[in-house]
Amino acid sequence: MKYYILLLLLSSFSYSFSQKDSIIIKGVVTSNEQKKIKNALVHLVSSKGHRYEYKTDSTGKYRFRLKADEIFTCTITVASDKHTTAGSFRNMGFLATKDNAIFELTPGKSYEKDFKLTQIPFCGPIAPSILFYKNSILSCNDSLRQKDSSYYESFQNTISILYLSLIEEPSIIIEIHGHASSNEKNSEHLALYRAQLIKEILVAKGINKKRMVVKSWGHNKLIVSNKIIKKAKTKEEKSALHTRNQRVVYRVISWDFAEDKN
């Protein structure tokens, strides 16, 4: 009985000691759409030189528990990779925020820091598209925006989204898809020129050309089918539907790019 009581006392002392010398840092990582993000990479770097990484669970939560007997500082940041997802939304990528937290840590205390990641579309109709005039590599986004500013992204806004996607996530490689409509001449070459134009603009902004692959689909992947276009009543309506097919979109094909330091 004495040994049992002694064991309880030692256990209680050990628990209080561990609690006193433990530091808890926790939080939740969500998207800008308030979705809980799984497999976000939360990094902790301490002033003692220690580095830790925690992958968030399916509820977006992370938790570090550190042992310490003195006050020190740490920096918490978040990153993402190809495994970072938000539930069933697997057609989205996530840009890591530049937000971080610097804590002066005191043994026995807890700290919290939540992060938000910005969603970016990989590809498809949900991606910001660049639309073009018929038989041209000139963007018509700005003209369309004058007619319906709530629906169309301006040319500069779309380029900015692409540019920031590549800057914020330096490991991603994108594939730029050029498309044409069935009423355009030399659709295969025209679609390729459109994709190459966007690549050249991004290269001029400082993006490594090796991070962009261009691909032409000609008129083989129409958003609006010829069958639907034929049903349009006026020439203007048909032209507008064709314009939706005259586009450039992108998708992320790799998160493994590394700059050549040689």
Side-chain angles (χ1 to χ4, degrees), residues 23 25 43-52 66-68 71-76 101-103 105:
I23 296 171
I25 305 171
H43 296 124
L44 184 153
V45 180
S46 77
S47 58
K48 294 184 175 184
H50 298 136
R51 295 174 179 270
Y52 304 95
L66 310 176
K67 294 278 189 176
I71 295 174
F72 64 99
T73 61
C74 78
T75 301
I76 308 284
I102 300 176
F103 292 117
L105 304 175

Side-chain angles (χ1 to χ4, degrees), residues 18 35-36 47 58 80 92 95 100-101 108 114 118 138 163 214:
S18 63
K35 300 183 181 75
K36 308 297 185 184
S47 58
S58 59
S80 60
M92 301 298 292
L95 294 181
N100 59 44
D114 295 337
T118 301
L138 294 177
Y163 175 72
V214 297

Side-chain angles (χ1 to χ4, degrees), residues 80 93-96 118-122 128 157-174 202 207 211 250-252 254-255:
S80 60
F94 296 91
L95 294 181
T118 301
Q119 294 178 211
I120 55 169
F122 277 17
N157 282 353
T158 305
I159 291 295
S160 294
I161 290 170
L162 283 167
Y163 175 72
L164 289 174
S165 297
L166 292 160
I167 289 295
E168 296 288 343
E169 289 289 354
S171 66
I172 64 174
I173 298 173
I174 65 170
L202 293 168
I207 301 299
R211 299 182 60 196
Y250 76 98
R251 71 185 184 106
V252 177
S254 172
W255 296 76

Side-chain angles (χ1 to χ4, degrees), residues 28-60:
V28 180
V29 181
T30 58
S31 72
N32 53 325
E33 299 293 334
Q34 300 301 316
K35 300 183 181 75
K36 308 297 185 184
I37 295 182
K38 179 181 178 181
N39 289 330
L41 309 175
V42 184
H43 296 124
L44 184 153
V45 180
S46 77
S47 58
K48 294 184 175 184
H50 298 136
R51 295 174 179 270
Y52 304 95
E53 179 183 273
Y54 193 106
K55 289 187 178 182
T56 55
D57 60 19
S58 59
T59 63

Side-chain angles (χ1 to χ4, degrees), residues 133 141-152 236 240:
Y133 292 109
N141 282 50
D142 295 310
S143 295
L144 293 169
R145 192 173 174 81
Q146 291 174 8
K147 297 177 182 178
D148 187 353
S149 60
S150 63
Y151 184 81
Y152 296 102
E236 288 76 16

Side-chain angles (χ1 to χ4, degrees), residues 6 20 55 62 99 115 123 129 131 133 137 154 167 171 174 183 199 225 228 245 247:
L6 179 60
K20 181 180 178 181
K55 289 187 178 182
Y62 73 90
D99 183 25
F115 291 99
C123 61
S129 299
L131 302 180
Y133 292 109
I137 59 171
S154 72
I167 289 295
S171 66
I174 65 170
N183 68 337
K199 179 179 178 178
S225 69
I228 292 175
N245 292 325
R247 70 200 189 281

